[in-house]
Amino acid sequence: MGHFLSGGPNNHPACHRTAKSHVDPQSVENFRRKLKYFFMSPCQKYRARGRKPWKMMLQILKIAIITFQLVSFGLSNEMMVTFKEGNIVAFKHFFLKNYQDRNKDYALYTKHEVHDHILYIINRYLHLQDLTVDNHAFERIDEVFTPLSVCQELYRHANILPVNETFDIDPHVETECLYFYPFSLFKKDDLENDMNLTLDFQRLLAVNIYLKVKAINLQTVHYKELPDCYDFAINIKFDNHAHSGKIKITLRSDVQIKVCKDWNVSGSNLHYQLIVLFDCVVICSCLLSLILCTRSVYKGVLLQFEYITFASIYHNKRVCWSERMEFINGWYILIIISDTLTIAGSVLKICIQSKELTNYDVCSILLGTATMLVWTGVMRYFSFFQKYYILILTLQAALPNVIRFSFCAVMIFLSYCFCGWIVLGPHHENFRSFNTVANCLFSMINGDEIYSTFTKIRDKNDLVWMFSRMYIYTFVPLFTFMILSLFIALFTDTYETIKRYQKHGAPLSELQAFIAECKDPPNSGKYMVDEESSTFWCLCAPCVNCT
């Protein structure tokens, strides 16, 4: 009966000793056979009991339908992103005077240019609907148009005299705003006089121009989808915080997608109904998969408790967590998470298609993550073919060592990030912020940005130049040649170990050794017994009469 039936200590409870002495070898063998059946592959279970691998076929079906659903939604999402980005580029050309796409650093340097550009933006906004080539319009709330606002951020008081090297500043910031309503009776020639805008450049920190523009994404009509309505909240900022003689101009736009209040697209109902029907098929498939996988996890938990009781009574041992977790199939947990995300994403997608909601980003995250997990979850079925499953086995075996190694590597990486940020930040654009330092150093580990990092600091003072060379000359060899090589070596050694196990056999856990004593092949017919009759609790029947 194997090592589980070996003798226990003398202080073992009387009931356990009686049960052990009256153990039915056939019941133990049935329990062992039940465990072996639980860990069989779907094909082996089909040969053992004739049960078709419904879960496997369902997962393969899910790959096809969920991928098709993702591609369909991806095309809609792409049209939304294209429309948003196209409008932002159009706004830059429309509102920023003499703007060119190649202008990465769009800035002004004279007072006249600042006044002229502000006047230009206001004129463009007031004549928006006469000039724009698209269906842009002003925002209107309760029959009142939303105005364009020009807001100055100013020091409360500032008296700066560079010639005397003196200054007197009250750092409290005040905001002053002017409002311009569409269809106002401003004449183009007299606008500068009428708007009464005065800029005190000694006190000036920034000029923010806020305006709102509405638009409708009509390109979706060509794909039989209902259009969305967009609200663009545009902020044009003249940044003078540095007081360096350079006022940088940036245009940013926050986009809010809304459901159009009234719409009608001829011939779109049938296409919309087919999309909703397909999404319902996806939801039903994932719901069925969720039920089946949850049922399998539940059965695994019950069998785990049964095995723990068996080991406690007949071997007087506690089952370790590694053996307990063998009953919990992590791939089923992954599929359950994937099904949950797909159902939530599909419901949200139906709401978006019906124009009840417009949460494209949330839906994209749900469906994208779910599709990734679906494709990854199918690798569970490669576990029954060890040669094709070697990648997962290697990652699983190397993970503990990789985590411990990564802790040390991350500490060293962070030390270089902080040092580079403080020392080289004032002299090199790649080190201006902690985020850019981390991105630059990570790129250098992969062989990028090394030459540009060297050359961009060529003309600095000798002390900084020497430090930068020491900094880079120590970082590149340490991470590229040493840490990265050791990191790769962890996986290489684990890979060789897995290959050796596949060739000569891996060491078995006590659970696997106990199951291996069952020599009955799947097609022997001995697995056709009723599942309930082979449960372990019948092994404890002698305990009922134990007094």
Side-chain angles (χ1 to χ4, degrees):
M1 295 175 201
H3 56 278
F4 281 101
L5 301 183
S6 59
N10 296 329
N11 59 352
H12 203 280
C15 181
H16 290 179
R17 290 198 305 270
T18 305
K20 189 168 123 179
S21 61
H22 293 83
V23 65
D24 182 10
Q26 185 59 43
S27 298
V28 175
E29 187 64 26
N30 290 341
F31 180 58
R32 183 184 286 113
R33 190 179 296 115
K34 179 181 179 179
L35 291 174
K36 184 175 182 179
Y37 177 80
F38 177 80
F39 289 101
M40 283 183 181
S41 68
C43 295
Q44 290 174 329
K45 289 182 178 180
Y46 174 73
R47 291 195 297 268
R49 293 187 179 177
R51 292 186 178 180
K52 295 180 175 60
W54 296 112
K55 286 197 294 291
M56 183 178 69
M57 292 187 290
L58 183 59
Q59 299 308 317
I60 296 174
L61 174 64
K62 278 172 50 185
I63 285 184
I65 61 177
I66 290 179
T67 303
F68 181 81
Q69 181 194 43
L70 182 73
V71 171
S72 175
F73 181 75
L75 296 175
S76 300
N77 200 29
E78 182 180 352
M79 289 187 289
M80 180 268 296
V81 173
T82 302
F83 185 75
K84 287 167 53 177
E85 292 180 349
N87 273 272
I88 292 174
V89 173
F91 293 146
K92 290 181 179 179
H93 284 273
F94 188 82
F95 290 109
L96 303 183
K97 190 175 183 179
N98 299 325
Y99 176 81
Q100 300 293 331
D101 289 329
R102 62 177 178 270
N103 292 345
K104 295 182 179 179
D105 192 8
Y106 187 74
L108 305 176
Y109 301 92
T110 66
K111 296 179 180 180
H112 173 73
E113 287 179 332
V114 175
H115 280 93
D116 187 46
H117 275 71
I118 295 175
L119 180 64
Y120 180 84
I121 294 170
I122 297 173
N123 264 316
R124 284 283 185 162
Y125 176 73
L126 296 178
H127 299 87
L128 173 70
Q129 293 180 319
D130 297 330
L131 298 176
T132 183
V133 298
D134 201 3
N135 58 349
H136 294 114
F138 303 113
E139 184 185 53
R140 186 169 57 185
I141 301 175
D142 297 331
E143 303 302 324
V144 177
F145 288 101
T146 302
L148 175 146
S149 59
V150 180
C151 297
Q152 299 183 60
E153 296 179 8
L154 305 161
Y155 287 128
R156 182 177 296 173
H157 168 75
N159 185 18
I160 304 173
L161 298 173
V163 65
N164 298 329
E165 298 181 350
T166 61
F167 63 89
D168 179 17
I169 293 180
D170 184 350
H172 292 87
V173 178
E174 296 178 340
T175 302
E176 300 177 359
C177 295
L178 294 175
Y179 300 96
F180 300 87
Y181 288 86
F183 307 110
S184 300
L185 298 178
F186 289 112
K187 293 182 180 179
K188 185 175 182 180
D189 298 333
D190 299 332
L191 178 59
E192 186 173 5
N193 297 327
D194 294 340
M195 71 179 182
N196 193 25
L197 177 64
T198 303
L199 300 177
D200 185 352
F201 286 93
Q202 282 198 337
R203 298 169 56 205
L204 183 66
L205 292 173
V207 177
N208 287 292
I209 300 179
Y210 302 100
L211 55 103
K212 291 189 177 182
V213 178
K214 300 178 73 69
I216 300 177
N217 185 5
L218 294 177
Q219 65 177 329
T220 58
V221 175
H222 298 288
Y223 298 92
K224 305 297 182 181
E225 295 185 15
L226 301 178
D228 290 317
C229 291
Y230 290 70
D231 287 354
F232 294 93
I234 303 170
N235 175 25
I236 304 174
K237 184 174 184 178
F238 295 72
D239 191 356
N240 191 40
H241 282 81
H243 284 83
S244 61
K246 170 184 174 181
I247 297 181
K248 187 175 181 180
I249 302 179
T250 57
L251 185 148
R252 292 183 175 86
S253 177
D254 292 330
V255 184
Q256 184 178 7
I257 305 175
K258 293 183 177 180
V259 179
C260 296
K261 295 180 180 179
D262 189 14
W263 52 266
N264 181 29
V265 180
S266 301
S268 63
N269 290 333
L270 178 60
H271 184 265
Y272 164 73
Q273 292 172 358
L274 291 176
I275 293 177
V276 173
L277 179 62
F278 181 79
D279 290 333
C280 292
V281 172
V282 173
I283 293 175
C284 293
S285 301
C286 292
L287 188 60
L288 178 60
S289 172
L290 179 64
I291 295 173
L292 292 177
C293 291
T294 304
R295 175 177 171 269
S296 297
V297 172
Y298 176 72
K299 291 175 65 176
V301 172
L302 293 181
L303 192 58
Q304 177 198 97
F305 290 143
E306 198 171 336
Y307 174 74
I308 292 173
T309 305
F310 175 83
S312 174
I313 294 177
Y314 293 102
H315 192 55
N316 193 27
K317 67 177 288 290
R318 297 185 63 182
V319 180
C320 62
W321 276 105
S322 60
E323 288 189 35
R324 293 187 183 189
M325 295 308 296
E326 291 187 46
F327 290 91
I328 308 299
N329 195 319
W331 293 111
Y332 286 149
I333 304 297
L334 188 72
I335 294 173
I336 289 173
I337 297 173
S338 170
D339 291 334
T340 304
L341 295 177
T342 304
I343 292 172
S346 299
V347 172
L348 186 57
K349 180 175 180 290
I350 293 176
C351 295
I352 292 175
Q353 297 288 348
S354 62
K355 301 308 172 185
E356 298 293 334
L357 296 172
T358 55
N359 298 341
Y360 282 91
D361 292 337
V362 177
C363 187
S364 299
I365 294 174
L366 292 175
L367 293 182
T369 306
T371 305
M372 179 184 67
L373 296 180
V374 165
W375 280 89
T376 305
V378 175
M379 294 190 65
R380 178 226 173 208
Y381 299 103
F382 286 102
S383 63
F384 306 113
F385 309 95
Q386 295 297 319
K387 291 185 178 180
Y388 299 97
Y389 197 62
I390 192 168
L391 172 62
I392 301 299
L393 292 176
T394 303
L395 294 176
Q396 182 179 356
L399 185 60
N401 291 331
V402 168
I403 292 176
R404 288 189 289 268
F405 180 83
S406 298
F407 273 117
C408 298
V410 167
M411 294 300 175
I412 301 175
F413 183 81
L414 290 176
S415 68
Y416 271 88
C417 288
F418 283 112
C419 180
W421 177 33
I422 296 300
V423 179
L424 301 180
H427 308 282
H428 199 299
E429 62 182 16
N430 289 357
F431 294 83
R432 290 288 161 81
S433 66
F434 185 85
N435 185 46
T436 56
V437 174
N439 293 337
C440 178
L441 294 183
F442 189 79
S443 298
M444 291 174 65
I445 294 175
N446 293 280
D448 301 329
E449 295 288 340
I450 297 179
Y451 180 75
S452 62
T453 303
F454 271 100
T455 55
K456 286 180 181 178
I457 204 167
R458 179 181 300 169
D459 300 328
K460 306 303 178 183
N461 64 68
D462 294 339
L463 181 61
V464 175
W465 186 88
M466 288 295 297
F467 179 86
S468 67
R469 266 44 189 175
M470 292 178 57
Y471 180 85
I472 298 174
Y473 283 145
T474 55
F475 177 82
V476 173
L478 178 62
F479 274 86
T480 304
F481 303 139
M482 296 176 62
I483 294 180
L484 188 59
S485 298
L486 290 174
F487 188 79
I488 296 174
L490 290 177
F491 289 98
T492 304
D493 293 343
T494 306
Y495 176 74
E496 294 298 331
T497 302
I498 296 298
K499 287 180 61 179
R500 186 167 61 253
Y501 285 166
Q502 290 184 344
K503 185 176 181 180
H504 302 288
L508 299 178
S509 65
E510 293 188 4
L511 171 62
Q512 295 168 347
F514 176 70
I515 296 175
E517 295 183 23
C518 179
K519 305 299 183 181
D520 300 326
N523 55 0
S524 63
K526 295 184 178 180
Y527 298 92
M528 299 299 294
V529 297
D530 183 26
E531 202 168 336
E532 294 299 327
S533 63
S534 61
T535 186
F536 165 70
W537 302 113
C538 63
L539 298 176
C540 295
C543 292
V544 176
N545 299 323
C546 184
T547 58

